[in-house]
Structure formats: structure tokens, C-alpha cells
């Protein structure tokens, strides 16, 4: 399993590197302009590689299932963030090295007198810096998420388009037509991917709406949206996966909201449910959604599934509203008549806010399900587990060897970090646990 | 942990890209 996990990772990384390095080394084919000094050539290579990586960013966040599948959507978004910093670093290193080895080029920073090819370079660089500052300090700068999202996309397109214009304008390595076509086609392809996600895909979603059949009140300031496909059969999902929900607007609205499905994947009528906690933002309006409301769902997504992961037993670890994908897993296993042991370690604030408390008890009659509630603020007469889920709790409730079970973890970041650390202490290999953070956007 | 893995993946990518860029420059200047 670990070998397969590493192999998938290696293949994924190779494909990523191929898209960055193959176009770069293609520049060495055919006729070449006279070589310059090492640092100038190195700086040029960094510029090309940085541009290719910037283009690839559109592919990483384009919600392609096969791209995200080996890692999970949250890890891909994290990689997107980290690799952005690196790509910007490479792009900035390009002029900095050039200015150091050829100081006369500093004059190109004067955009009034500089040629267009230098102006485009400046535009690309400034867009990237603005993009980076807004991404790193969005909350501190008090920028609304929706505003940031639109600006992020616009700045990214401007940065890549201006980068291409600079490269074509300079024309040093792309003077031959096929090289120029290659290096223009690649960024155009990636921007095309963005158009596909933002225009073509929403057009398809427009023809496949859902209707809210019911809004169910749950414990813990949480509501379940029950949605039925309207005029189409809906989609099938694996328990643990999520979808992007567009509630009040058209699917062309730039910001969707990712939520796990909480319903059974064994349902055949296309009905899907999402259980959403009131966090004071967009989610506060969920209880007021009227029955019959038209909504749009983009999904299913996520690698947080049991598919292809045979195990002796499943350990589900949920914190707060992180119970929603677990509920889908439990309901699905029960509907399928699965006989394997399922242990649910479920952390909640207090006993009254335990979402799905009653249903979990009834599911125990249908499934070999053991539930361990862990309360942060337990009532005075509480005899169960209290505090937070950690390695000691695992040892009390899980049968060894710990590395043989399949673990599914969903909850707040702090809890996820602690549990991943605890599992590592118990020598559970990375391939045996699945986690998807719901705070990745 | 998986995010630490993603960090390592990003740094490994960066290292390979920088090395390959240096190789590109080396081939150009030596070739």
C-alpha cells in the first residue's frame, strides 16, 4: 500500500515536472541564438520555468478529479499555495540575476522609456507581487473572500499573459515559429482550463440543477440540506466525498462553497444531503433556505473515500462538524450490509451539541459500530472520555496492531494536526490514513 | 502530516526545477 502511495506520488510529480521542464529543454532543439554567460542563461531558464509553473497553477485548481485524486483536494490546494511562492521566487530571481550581471538593464525598470517587452515584464512581476501579498495577508488586509477570489484570478491571468507577451517580445529563444507556438500555446491552454472551469462547466451545471426538498435541523447549530436532482438523474459519489454548493446564485458565481455529502452513497434516486454548521458567514442562512429553492452542485470531489482501501476495520475520527463525511460512510456501510467493525471517535464541545447523536445510536443496530464520544466540556455526571482525541485514547479503544486499520479523520486544523502526529507516534503509515481538511479554501 | 508531505513535494519540485535550470544554462554555455 505504501509502495503504491509513493509510486502514485512519484508519477504525479513526474508529470508535473514534465510540463515545466519539457518546454524549457525544447528551447535547446533546432537553431539557437549565440550563448551568453552562465548567469544570464540561468536567469532566462528560471524565467521560463517560473512562467510554466504559473500556468500549471490553473491546472492544479481546475478541479480535475484525476489531478487531485492521489492526494486529496486539501493537499493540492496546499501544494498550489507553496508552489506559488516558489514560482514567484523563480520569476523574481530572473530579473534580479540579470540586474546583477548586467547592471545596465536596471534602466528597463523605468516603464515610461522602456520598450514594451520590458513593460510587460514589469506588469507581470507587479501583478505577481500583488497576487502574493493578497494571498498571504488577505485576512489582515480585511479583504472579503469573494473579492479576493475574483482579484486572484484576474491578477493570475494578467501575470501569465504579460509574461508571455514579454517572452514573445524579447524573442531570444522563441524566434523560431514552432518554439513560439509551443510557448504561447501552453499558457493559453492553462488559461483555457480556467475558462472551462468558470464558463463551460457552469453551463453544464445550469442544465443540471437541484431543488431543496427539505432543511432538517440538527444538533449543534447545524442543518441538513436535502437536495433532489431536478430533471436529471444526479450523480453517484463515494462516501466521504464533497461537492461545491452554489446556493443563492447562478453557477457562474465565482465562489462556491465546499461541503461533504452526509447522505448514504447507496441511495439510488440521486438525492444528496449536506450537513452544514452555522459558522456565522454564508452558512448562517442555511436554516432559512426554503423548500423548492434551486441550487447547483459541482461534484463529487475528494480522495477521502474507502474506495480501493480494503481494511480489517475502519476507524473514523471526527471533530465537530467533521462528522458529516463520517455519517455518509456509516450510512453507506449500513445500507450495504457491511459486517466489518467501525469505530467512531467523535469529539464534540458538549453533549447537547453532538450532531447526529440519536441517529448514531440507531445505526448501531444496523452496523458493527462502536462509538466513543469525547467531550471538551462534559456534564458533571459524564463517565465517558473527555478532553481531546490523542494517542492515549487510541490505545484505550483501538485493538493493535494499529497499522492494520484504515483511518479517516475530519475536523478542525488543530485537531487534525494532533491526530496525524498521534498516528505517526503509533507507527501508522501515511497510506493508512485519510484526512481532508474543510478549511482549505 | 499530509501537508508536511505537500511542503516536501513543493520543495523537491523547486530544487529539481532550479537544478534543471542550471543544467540548461550549463548546456548552453558549455555546448
Amino acid at each position: 500500500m505504501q509502495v503504491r502511495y509513493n509510486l502514485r506520488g512519484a508519477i504525479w510529480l513526474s508529470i508535473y515536472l514534465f510540463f515545466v521542464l519539457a518546454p524549457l529543454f525544447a528551447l535547446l532543439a533546432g537553431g539557437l541564438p549565440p550563448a551568453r554567460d552562465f548567469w544570464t542563461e540561468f536567469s532566462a531558464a528560471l524565467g521560463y520555468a517560473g512562467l510554466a509553473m504559473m500556468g500549471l497553477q490553473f491546472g492544479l485548481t481546475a478541479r480535475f478529479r484525476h489531478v487531485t485524486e492521489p492526494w486529496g483536494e486539501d493537499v493540492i490546494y496546499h501544494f498550489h499555495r507553496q508552489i506559488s511562492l516558489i514560482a514567484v521566487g523563480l520569476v523574481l530571481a530572473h530579473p534580479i540575476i540579470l540586474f546583477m550581471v548586467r547592471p545596465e538593464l536596471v534602466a528597463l525598470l523605468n516603464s515610461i522609456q522602456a520598450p514594451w517587452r520590458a513593460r510587460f515584464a514589469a506588469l507581470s512581476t507587479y501583478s505577481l507581487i500583488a497576487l502574493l501579498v493578497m494571498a498571504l495577508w488577505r485576512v489582515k488586509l480585511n479583504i472579503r473572500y469573494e473579492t479576493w477570489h475574483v482579484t486572484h484570478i484576474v491578477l493570475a491571468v494578467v501575470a501569465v499573459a504579460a509574461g508571455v507577451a514579454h517572452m514573445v517580445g524579447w524573442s531570444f529563444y522563441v524566434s523560431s515559429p514552432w518554439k513560439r507556438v509551443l510557448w504561447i500555446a501552453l499558457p493559453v491552454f492553462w488559461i483555457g482550463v480556467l475558462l472551462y472551469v468558470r464558463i463551460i462547466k457552469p453551463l453544464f451545471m445550469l442544465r443540471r440543477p437541484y431543488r431543496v426538498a427539505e432543511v432538517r435541523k440538527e444538533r449543534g447549530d447545524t442543518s441538513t440540506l436535502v437536495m433532489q436532482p431536478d430533471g436529471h438523474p444526479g450523480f453517484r459519489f463515494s462516501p466521504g466525498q464533497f461537492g461545491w454548493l452554489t446556493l443563492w446564485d447562478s453557477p457562474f458565481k465565482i465562489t462556491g462553497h465546499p461541503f461533504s455529502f452526509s447522505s448514504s452513497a447507496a441511495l439510488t434516486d440521486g438525492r444528496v444531503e449536506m450537513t452544514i454548521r452555522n459558522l456565522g458567514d454564508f452558512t448562517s442562512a442555511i436554516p432559512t433556505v426554503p423548500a423548492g429553492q434551486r441550487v447547483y452542485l459541482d461534484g463529487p470531489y475528494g480522495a477521502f473515500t474507502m474506495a480501493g482501501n480494503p481494511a480489517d476495520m475502519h476507524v473514523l475520527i471526527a471533530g465537530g462538524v467533521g462528522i458529516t463525511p463520517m455519517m455518509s460512510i456509516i450510512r453507506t456501510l449500513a445500507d450495504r450490509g457491511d459486517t466489518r467493525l467501525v469505530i467512531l471517535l467523535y469529539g464534540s464541545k458538549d453533549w447537547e451539541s453532538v450532531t447526529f447523536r440519536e441517529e448514531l445510536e440507531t445505526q448501531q443496530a444496523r452496523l458493527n459500530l462502536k462509538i466513543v464520544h469525547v467531550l471538551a466540556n462534559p456534564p458533571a455526571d459524564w463517565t465517558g472520555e473527555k478532553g481531546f482525541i490523542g494517542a492515549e485514547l487510541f490505545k484505550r479503544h483501538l485493538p493493535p496492531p494499529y497499522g492494520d486499520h484504515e483511518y479517516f479523520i475530519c475536523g478542525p486544523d488543530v485537531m487534525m494536526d494532533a491526530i496525524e502526529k498521534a498516528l505517526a507516534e503509533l507507527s501508522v503509515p501515511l497510506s493508512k490514513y485519510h484526512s481532508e481538511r474543510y478549511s482549505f479554501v | 502530516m499530509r501537508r508536511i508531505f505537500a511542503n516536501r513535494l513543493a520543495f523537491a519540485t523547486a530544487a529539481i526545477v532550479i537544478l534543471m535550470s542550471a543544467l540548461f544554462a550549463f548546456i548552453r554555455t558549455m555546448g
Side-chain angles (χ1 to χ4, degrees):
Chain A
M1 183 66 80
Q2 186 70 43
V3 174
R4 209 184 72 183
Y5 187 84
N6 290 340
L7 187 69
R8 279 197 310 182
I11 292 171
W12 190 94
L13 187 61
S14 306
I15 294 170
Y16 182 91
L17 286 170
F18 175 80
F19 276 104
V20 177
L21 298 175
L24 173 65
F25 280 88
L27 295 176
L28 293 176
L32 286 168
R36 300 160 295 183
D37 64 281
F38 175 85
W39 289 107
T40 303
E41 295 295 347
F42 180 55
S43 135
L46 288 180
Y48 277 104
L51 183 60
M53 285 165 81
M54 277 156 49
L56 269 166
Q57 295 291 55
F58 292 102
L60 284 178
T61 50
R63 304 183 193 170
F64 290 137
R65 285 184 194 100
H66 295 296
V67 172
T68 56
E69 195 252 334
W71 311 108
E73 209 87 10
D74 57 341
V75 169
I76 290 294
Y77 271 81
H78 188 71
F79 181 79
H80 167 80
R81 219 166 291 166
Q82 301 301 91
I83 211 76
S84 301
L85 297 173
I86 291 161
V88 172
L90 297 184
V91 169
L92 291 180
H94 167 58
I96 290 170
I97 294 173
L98 276 181
F99 294 154
M100 285 167 77
V101 294
R102 296 167 66 188
E104 72 276 11
L105 292 179
V106 175
L108 292 174
L109 284 175
N110 180 354
S111 290
I112 298 168
Q113 290 171 341
W116 275 105
R117 56 182 188 258
R119 287 178 188 163
F120 280 124
L123 176 63
S124 179
T125 311
Y126 300 148
S127 304
L128 274 183
I129 292 170
L131 189 146
L132 196 70
V133 168
M134 287 179 75
L136 290 177
W137 295 291
R138 174 177 68 83
V139 178
K140 274 191 184 163
L141 292 170
N142 212 12
I143 302 170
R144 273 181 65 236
Y145 181 77
E146 285 76 9
T147 312
W148 169 80
H149 201 165
V150 176
T151 319
H152 189 73
I153 291 172
V154 171
L155 286 172
V157 171
V158 169
V160 171
V164 172
H166 161 68
M167 174 192 69
V168 172
W170 209 267
S171 186
F172 187 77
Y173 273 112
V174 290
S175 54
S176 71
W178 73 267
K179 288 181 188 172
R180 201 176 312 142
V181 167
L182 173 72
W183 271 92
I184 293 174
L186 269 175
V188 166
F189 170 75
W190 294 123
I191 293 173
V193 165
L194 172 77
L195 295 180
Y196 166 78
V197 174
R198 297 295 165 193
I199 295 170
I200 312 288
K201 213 168 178 190
L203 276 173
F204 281 113
M205 283 167 64
L206 206 57
R207 296 170 59 183
R208 295 170 70 88
Y210 282 71
R211 295 270 176 199
V212 173
E214 184 193 352
V215 181
R216 239 183 359 245
K217 186 94 188 72
E218 312 281 2
R219 282 183 180 277
D221 203 8
T222 300
S223 308
T224 295
L225 270 184
V226 182
M227 294 163 284
Q228 202 76 42
D230 185 5
H232 60 95
F235 53 72
R236 302 302 299 267
F237 65 93
S238 296
Q241 287 192 299
F242 71 93
W244 295 82
L245 172 68
T246 307
L247 184 52
W248 305 109
D249 302 280
S250 85
F252 294 99
K253 167 110 180 179
I254 215 142
T255 302
H257 299 271
F259 294 109
S260 296
F261 302 117
S262 55
S263 49
S264 168
L267 295 174
T268 52
D269 62 351
R271 190 182 77 198
V272 285
E273 297 180 6
M274 286 174 163
T275 302
I276 301 166
R277 180 156 292 176
N278 177 7
L279 299 173
D281 49 11
F282 154 88
T283 54
S284 59
I286 299 293
T288 65
V289 175
Q293 170 75 40
R294 179 178 281 214
V295 296
Y296 297 95
L297 280 177
D298 181 15
Y301 291 103
F304 189 73
T305 72
M306 294 178 295
N309 298 307
D312 62 338
M313 56 172 278
H314 295 102
V315 181
L316 313 180
I317 307 164
V321 77
I323 189 66
T324 53
M326 311 305 180
M327 209 55 209
S328 179
I329 292 173
I330 289 168
R331 285 167 167 164
T332 308
L333 288 174
D335 286 347
R336 288 178 185 164
D338 200 292
T339 54
R340 286 172 293 177
L341 174 63
V342 178
I343 298 181
L344 172 67
L345 307 175
Y346 184 8
S348 304
K349 196 171 64 182
D350 53 51
W351 188 234
E352 289 313 306
S353 66
V354 178
T355 310
F356 297 124
R357 195 176 90 189
E358 287 80 5
E359 191 191 329
L360 283 168
E361 280 165 30
T362 58
Q363 290 290 2
Q364 284 182 295
R366 305 176 64 216
L367 192 67
N368 187 5
L369 174 66
K370 177 185 169 187
I371 304 169
V372 179
H373 286 288
V374 185
L375 301 180
N377 304 311
D381 57 347
W382 179 253
T383 53
E385 295 287 353
K386 49 192 152 192
F388 300 97
I389 303 169
E392 288 310 309
L393 191 117
F394 290 151
K395 287 176 189 163
R396 279 199 294 279
H397 295 283
L398 305 182
Y402 306 110
D404 282 3
H405 321 318
E406 204 78 27
Y407 297 80
F408 293 85
I409 317 155
C410 188
D413 278 348
V414 186
M415 183 199 111
M416 306 271 285
D417 292 338
I419 289 173
E420 290 184 357
K421 197 167 157 243
L423 288 175
E425 279 171 28
L426 296 174
S427 305
V428 175
L430 205 59
S431 59
K432 297 298 271 187
Y433 62 86
H434 313 270
S435 57
E436 204 137 81
R437 291 164 192 257
Y438 48 71
S439 60
F440 66 86
V441 289
Chain B
M1 197 61 71
R2 290 165 69 245
R3 289 208 293 184
I4 293 171
F5 188 68
N7 288 348
R8 286 184 189 153
L9 202 66
F11 287 124
T13 309
I16 294 169
V17 169
I18 292 168
L19 278 174
M20 289 296 122
S21 299
L23 178 67
F24 177 95
F26 182 77
I27 292 171
R28 276 294 279 149
T29 47
M30 294 299 154

